Amino acid sequence: MQISSTPSVSLLRIDRRPFCDSASPLLLRREQLLMDLLDVVELLRQGRADLIPEGYVADYLALRWLESSDGRLCLTEAGREVCSRLRPELAELAS
């Protein structure tokens, strides 16, 4: 069996639509982080950052929703803004 060094046509991206048209793993991850943000904020208020699931802290830091200040995690201005948008939406869903 001979292995070709050039990719076959089936491996090439023929579809030229933007990647964001479909639910990419990065968009799905961001949505998950968004849905869990208020719970994470509550854990931080309780001083229980150790209960934040593995990988979330790095992702929140990368999104700049959290920052490390004096060895403690806290919300950034952007994180507070995201939370303020989430709370009214949650209130609507509850009514």
Side-chain angles (χ1 to χ4, degrees):
M1 180 173 159
Q2 185 178 14
I3 299 176
S4 173
S5 62
T6 58
S8 67
V9 174
S10 63
L11 297 177
L12 297 176
R13 182 165 152 51
I14 306 287
D15 181 10
R16 296 294 179 201
R17 290 178 297 155
F19 286 107
C20 61
D21 280 354
S22 62
S24 75
L26 291 176
L27 288 176
L28 293 175
R29 178 63 173 159
R30 187 178 189 281
E31 288 300 314
Q32 183 65 50
L33 292 166
L34 190 61
M35 290 183 341
D36 293 338
L37 183 59
L38 293 177
D39 292 333
V40 167
V41 169
E42 187 57 33
L43 288 173
L44 292 175
R45 284 187 185 148
Q46 296 172 7
R48 297 304 315 256
D50 60 310
L51 296 178
I52 299 172
E54 189 175 325
Y56 275 57
V57 173
D59 291 341
Y60 285 124
L61 291 170
L63 287 168
R64 296 193 173 129
W65 294 351
L66 290 182
E67 64 185 355
S68 179
S69 177
D70 296 326
R72 296 187 64 183
L73 291 173
C74 56
L75 277 174
T76 63
E77 184 62 36
R80 284 189 290 276
E81 188 175 315
V82 171
C83 286
S84 70
R85 290 184 195 157
L86 288 173
R87 286 188 179 112
E89 291 174 17
L90 291 175
E92 279 184 30
L93 291 174
S95 60

